[in-house]
Amino acid sequence: MTEIDMRTGTARRHLQAKLWPRLGAMVLAGLVATTAIAKEPRAETEGAAKQRVQSAANEIRAALVEIQKQPGAFPAVSAVVVHGDLTPLMLVQGAAHAGQPEPVDRQSQFYIASQTKSFIALLAAHLDESGVLPLDTTLAQIWPQLTLPPPVDPAAITMADLLSHQERLKTDTLNFLTAYVRHVPAADYPAMLSRHTEARSEGFRYANIGDLIYGAALEVRTGRSWQDWLQKEVLRPLKLDHVHSRSSQVPAGRLTWNHRWDGRAWIAYPPKPDLMHAAGGLLASADDMATWMRANLRRRSPTGMPSARGFELAQRPQARADLSDGEFVCDGYSLGWYACTYQNQHVLMHPGGYRGAVSATVLIPAMDTGLSLATNSDSAMEGLQLELMKAFIGLAAGKNGESERLRKVVADYPGRLARTVAARRDAVQQVRDDAAWGGWKWAPSRAETQRYVGTFRSDRLGRLEVAHDAGGLEARLGAMRLTLTPASVDLFGASTSALDPPETFRYADDAGSLRWEDDSFTRVDETPAPGK
């Protein structure tokens, strides 16, 4: 699933992963050789499995290399296959920043977005086992005075409910702020949850809100951030030295930029700033994703912490999902893994997506093998990565038809990308053609737009600053930057890039207030706007 850019009245999704299932963990007993007669067939079986996984890795490599030749596919890719102690595939190639000379390598940091949830799952299971924050702890025990929209009861929502997306709450506000705007302090969560959440029906519904609340609850309970706990209890014990929860910790040369293709050229976005949260806040290298997969496949840490029980609990299904495309079927979600079935193979999987970056990891516990993919573009990547995961599972299991499937995926990719580009272009044009913009005929001078400069405030979103930059007016909401394109007097189209449909940004009250879509802001300058 992805981090979703949503504001009230606007369901704008930078990435839409339409499938992406989840079940839990499957533990299958291996063959036990008890006699000399049993050993030989087992060796043959292991040898055959090794050959199949290597062949699958080779075909995935060839497919990715071919796809990367397509203009607009991805500047860089990180693809890793593990099988026991072996690494049949370690493909890390391309540019960290399109048009720049720095190539990626095995220590380059790709943003893995919502895959963070599987790391938080292991942390939560460990903290449950150690008694720091038991999974049956309720929201009422963290915030005794917390009120939630009826009929949701804080005393009935546990940490396990939060991490398995069964918390019965939904929010646009927390998702939007934490993903794109600013860090929300743990102390602010009671007010945020009381004012800016809604009740929803019972059952599983994938969203960021559960992990966000868990991160805040952990900090309230212990006085330490989820990043500090994750570093001490998971990353360091697993020897994951190149997984980071803060981009400022990473040398600039190791960070990959995110990219989107406009049909002719790349639009590059700087690496995500330290706006990281427990639902999507990790950067990872190819080498460390290999280590991470091995630890989860074997349920074993090189230091003994977290324990095997912690891995098992993190992977154990907690909720029913019922997601399927007719082939890849996911019927469960644990504390941070989807549990799925493809070609009768039970797998653990979690994807991640953000503007200009897509990733996914799939594990086949019964075969002690897994595949991790990451690209620094979102060019029709979600559907492509799903197809690549299917092909890998089928090839590793020796199923018929998977090589043909993979060849078709490669052949179809240019058309898939062209449709994505066209859909984005058409979405922008459709909004721009709306008569409400007045034909985009207004062309004010810099002096004329000076009256719109200033500081404004919204009760829901906080402080917004409008200032001149080299290209005209820019709105700054925390880490978010919006270009304001003049449309008609007092009306601008606000967008983060040329690939995004403009949103209404209208001034009123002699530029003393403004409305961005459904959010109202009031000027808080000490000096009133000219003309008032």
Side-chain angles (χ1 to χ4, degrees):
M1 296 299 174
T2 63
E3 292 184 53
I4 301 172
D5 178 350
M6 290 174 46
R7 304 201 333 282
T8 301
T10 304
R12 188 160 48 91
R13 299 171 184 262
H14 290 305
L15 298 168
Q16 292 187 355
K18 300 203 175 180
L19 201 211
W20 308 125
R22 67 292 178 328
L23 182 57
M26 302 295 295
V27 183
L28 299 175
L31 294 173
V32 179
T34 58
T35 68
I37 296 176
K39 289 180 181 177
E40 185 61 31
R42 183 185 181 199
E44 291 177 354
T45 301
E46 290 177 348
K50 177 182 175 181
Q51 185 175 358
R52 289 196 306 270
V53 173
Q54 183 63 66
S55 178
N58 292 343
E59 293 200 44
I60 294 294
R61 174 194 289 274
L64 287 167
V65 168
E66 186 63 28
I67 290 169
Q68 194 172 19
K69 295 176 183 177
Q70 169 71 29
F74 39 80
V77 60
S78 169
V80 185
V81 170
V82 298
H83 183 216
D85 292 326
L86 302 176
T87 308
L89 175 62
M90 177 62 74
L91 175 66
V92 188
Q93 67 177 28
H97 182 183
Q100 301 298 315
E102 296 84 4
V104 292
D105 60 30
R106 292 165 60 153
Q107 300 306 326
S108 294
Q109 300 285 293
F110 287 77
Y111 181 55
I112 63 171
S114 286
Q115 284 199 66
T116 302
K117 294 180 177 70
S118 59
F119 289 77
I120 293 297
L122 184 56
L123 173 64
H126 173 69
L127 296 181
D128 173 80
E129 185 176 17
S130 62
V132 172
L133 182 56
L135 285 167
D136 60 3
T137 304
T138 68
L139 286 184
Q141 290 173 293
I142 300 294
W143 292 292
Q145 306 305 316
L146 175 64
T147 59
L148 294 174
V152 183
D153 180 4
I157 300 175
T158 66
M159 299 298 107
D161 293 332
L162 295 173
L163 297 175
S164 59
H165 309 303
Q166 300 181 93
E167 71 293 314
R168 297 195 63 194
L169 293 170
K170 58 182 179 179
T171 177
D172 295 340
T173 304
L174 273 169
N175 288 346
F176 176 66
L177 287 177
T178 56
Y180 295 96
V181 179
R182 61 181 171 83
H183 169 68
V184 176
D188 292 352
Y189 267 71
M192 279 281 183
L193 295 174
S194 296
R195 298 177 59 190
H196 300 301
T197 61
E198 300 174 38
R200 65 166 179 84
S201 59
E202 293 183 353
F204 173 88
R205 180 180 183 270
Y206 183 91
N208 283 346
I209 184 172
D211 288 79
L212 294 174
I213 298 172
Y214 178 85
L218 177 59
E219 184 170 345
V220 169
R221 171 61 63 91
T222 67
R224 293 169 51 196
S225 70
W226 69 268
Q227 289 100 327
D228 292 344
W229 278 107
L230 188 70
Q231 179 66 32
K232 180 183 177 184
E233 307 295 330
V234 174
L235 302 183
R236 194 176 300 153
L238 293 183
K239 301 188 183 302
L240 298 173
D241 299 326
H242 297 95
V243 174
H244 296 281
S245 59
R246 297 179 178 90
S247 54
S248 61
Q249 298 170 334
V250 184
R254 292 290 187 192
L255 290 168
T256 55
W257 286 50
N258 297 343
H259 299 80
R260 302 173 83 197
W261 181 248
D262 70 0
R264 297 176 300 275
W266 287 112
I267 296 177
Y269 301 86
K272 195 174 185 190
D274 281 357
L275 189 61
M276 301 289 199
H277 55 69
L282 290 178
L283 299 143
S285 71
D287 274 348
D288 276 17
M289 288 308 292
T291 300
W292 172 245
M293 287 192 286
R294 286 193 178 96
N296 278 279
L297 286 165
R298 298 171 176 178
R299 298 182 175 179
R300 185 169 69 244
S301 165
T303 63
M305 185 180 80
S307 69
R309 177 193 175 279
F311 281 99
E312 189 278 328
L313 178 56
Q315 298 174 6
R316 183 194 307 160
Q318 303 277 337
R320 183 164 182 82
D322 295 325
L323 298 177
S324 171
D325 70 344
E327 294 181 329
F328 200 79
V329 179
C330 304
D331 58 4
Y333 192 88
S334 65
L335 300 176
W337 289 98
Y338 287 92
C340 315
T341 304
Y342 175 71
Q343 293 278 32
N344 295 318
Q345 296 296 314
H346 297 289
V347 302
L348 299 174
M349 186 277 298
H350 211 294
Y354 191 68
R355 180 183 62 186
V358 177
S359 67
T361 293
V362 61
L363 306 175
I364 314 176
M367 297 183 64
D368 196 19
T369 190
L371 166 68
S372 181
L373 290 168
T375 59
N376 62 343
S377 89
D378 60 7
S379 297
M381 283 293 111
E382 302 95 330
L384 174 63
Q385 287 200 352
L386 176 60
E387 293 303 316
L388 290 171
M389 285 194 295
K390 289 179 183 178
F392 172 73
I393 297 166
L395 288 166
K399 302 297 184 180
N400 295 327
E402 295 299 336
S403 293
E404 292 76 13
R405 169 195 286 277
L406 195 52
R407 285 195 290 271
K408 186 176 188 303
V409 167
V410 174
D412 289 349
Y413 179 72
R416 184 194 294 267
L417 176 57
R419 290 190 295 273
T420 296
V421 170
R424 286 174 174 170
R425 181 180 59 245
D426 292 348
V428 171
Q429 194 58 50
Q430 182 177 358
V431 173
R432 286 185 60 85
D433 288 344
D434 194 309
W437 298 105
W440 302 90
K441 298 176 181 178
W442 187 41
S445 66
R446 182 183 177 93
E448 289 176 301
T449 58
Q450 183 61 39
R451 65 193 301 267
Y452 301 111
V453 170
T455 302
F456 301 80
R457 185 164 188 83
S458 156
D459 288 341
R460 189 172 82 96
L461 299 181
R463 179 188 178 95
L464 179 144
E465 295 181 357
V466 179
H468 280 116
D469 68 1
L473 285 179
E474 178 182 73
R476 303 165 184 169
L477 182 68
M480 178 173 255
R481 300 291 181 266
L482 295 159
T483 297
L484 302 183
T485 304
S488 58
V489 177
D490 290 344
L491 176 63
F492 297 80
S495 61
T496 56
S497 82
L499 297 180
D500 298 316
E503 299 177 342
T504 57
F505 198 93
R506 186 185 296 275
Y507 285 84
D509 303 323
D510 224 359
S513 65
L514 64 86
R515 191 171 185 84
W516 174 25
E517 290 291 299
D518 292 329
D519 282 294
S520 297
F521 294 79
T522 302
R523 184 182 288 272
V524 293
D525 297 304
E526 293 183 4
T527 304
K532 287 201 74 175

